[in-house]
Amino acid sequence: MTIIRRIETRGCGCDAPEPPATLVSIDDALGRMAQLARPVAATQTVPLLSALGRVLADPVRAACMTPPFDNTAMDGYAVDTADFVGEGPWTFPVVATVPAGAVVPAVVGKGSVARIFTGAPLPLGADAVIRQEDARHSGQGVTFETRPEGGSNIRRAGGDMRRGQIVVDAGTRLDPPEIAACAAAGAGSVQVRRALRVGVLVTGDELWTPGTTRAPAGIWDVNTAMLCAALGSSRIDLVHVERVGDRRDLLERSLAALAGQADLIVTAGGVSVGEEDHVKPALGALGGDVHFSGVAVKPGKPVSYGCIGKSHWLGLPGNPLAAFVMWQVFGTALVQRLTGQCVRRATRRHVVTAEAIRRKSGRCEIRPVTIAGFDARGREVVRFEDATHSGRVGALPAADGLMFLPAEVDHLPAGARVEFQPFCDA
Ligand code: AMP
Ligand code: MG
């Protein structure tokens, strides 16, 4: 769905040394990334117990039928319904006890039943299980008041998975639901794509590590911690994290070192067009290509994407909320693409606003929002702050995701339908 129109601004010259500024829409920018980013090709086999978070390279197929044999869904008695002739009650001797995992097949029928426990294989001759609550012990054996229906309380072989059936497809991220299905399919190990090698460069002379004593004009570095957290997953190999001063030669050196080894380089800060913004000049000096620079979005307008050698480069703005929001929109999409995740869960959905909004039109605006509940029509309602401040992250912990306000909209009444993207991981 296109949520904002392409906006072409006329270059006024004040953006030099850049060419006239051309902001692309979010969807165009995502489209360009999707065209250029190819999943890492190499694969590896990993034990299922270490596969959480990895991306499947080959589909997982059921090694055999699941369940592999007919078995009982209840503790009770395995019976042959043909024995229930005439009027009840019926009393039968109990000729065997079959626990789960029993290897010797029991035989019932011709007037006999077996005691059986959940998961145990159905004895030969049995076609129903009567739960123990519906049975009464007597001197001669066990008595039933009601005639059972054939097939009752039986889990049939292959009822969950057929042999050879694809249970989890290639391109799926292995989260706990998928791991469960792989285990049920008998997969002891799985073929996954190799982890994506990512390097992070955070720029800014003013930045200090949280918790240290900072200089009077220094601020805590938010983006290093945020990006390390966002990249903390088994499908990502964080090869390098560095804070780099605002100098082009330093940036060139760090970018050049990473270009040889990272599939993706993420920079934060220094990507606008001021004299202290050295990331794009450094990238240019190293022969890198910029595929887009500037998106019609608020916050995060300077966000940029390109390549240097074989490495993809994502340039995030330095303002922490802008960096976070742009990571959510572009970073997660790029990493998902590069790690080969193509079977994805739903991302954006529609919600309605709790309050009216007045804003300046022109750029798509993305605001952190909190799901407040449901309206009388059962629609999800979101609450938000009155304005977006690209540096403020204090309200993020209370938010559930991002609301997208279309570029052309300058006001919306309460109850307006807007797109919502829950916070997601890469
Ligand atoms: P920049 O994108 O480098 O021009 O930075 C824009 C604003 O974000 C400036 O006020 C910076 O001080 C601030 N900023 C940049 N990087 C960070 C960071 N890692 N943590 C906190 N604030 C930052
Ligand atoms: Mg800076």
Side-chain angles (χ1 to χ4, degrees), residues 14-18 203 246-248 251 269-282 293 301-302:
C14 62
D15 281 349
E18 292 252 300
T203 73
D246 286 317
R247 268 176 41 197
R248 186 173 131 183
L251 263 161
V271 78
S272 313
V273 288
E275 287 91 77
E276 291 298 330
D277 294 315
H278 301 289
V279 176
K280 280 184 283 177
S293 180
K301 184 173 82 166

Side-chain angles (χ1 to χ4, degrees), residues 202-203 206-207 219-224 269-272 277 317-320:
V202 171
T203 73
E206 73 280 33
L207 303 179
I219 55 168
W220 305 131
D221 170 8
V222 176
N223 294 332
T224 299
V271 78
S272 313
D277 294 315
N319 271 306

Side-chain angles (χ1 to χ4, degrees), residues 156-168:
R156 290 290 176 202
D160 190 10
M161 298 173 186
R162 285 168 287 108
R163 181 166 190 262
Q165 173 191 337
I166 292 182
V167 174
V168 188

Side-chain angles (χ1 to χ4, degrees), residues 245-262:
D246 286 317
R247 268 176 41 197
R248 186 173 131 183
D249 59 331
L250 296 179
L251 263 161
E252 260 185 63
R253 202 173 64 196
S254 299
L255 279 172
L258 273 181
Q261 53 158 329

Side-chain angles (χ1 to χ4, degrees), residues 239-250:
V239 293
H240 186 78
V241 180
E242 183 185 351
R243 205 157 57 216
V244 191
D246 286 317
R247 268 176 41 197
R248 186 173 131 183
D249 59 331
L250 296 179

Side-chain angles (χ1 to χ4, degrees), residues 323-345:
F324 175 79
V325 169
M326 290 298 96
W327 174 261
Q328 283 286 311
V329 175
F330 293 108
T332 58
L334 184 57
V335 170
Q336 284 167 2
R337 182 90 184 151
L338 292 171
T339 50
Q341 297 176 59
C342 46
V343 181
R344 300 245 310 276
R345 300 206 160 90

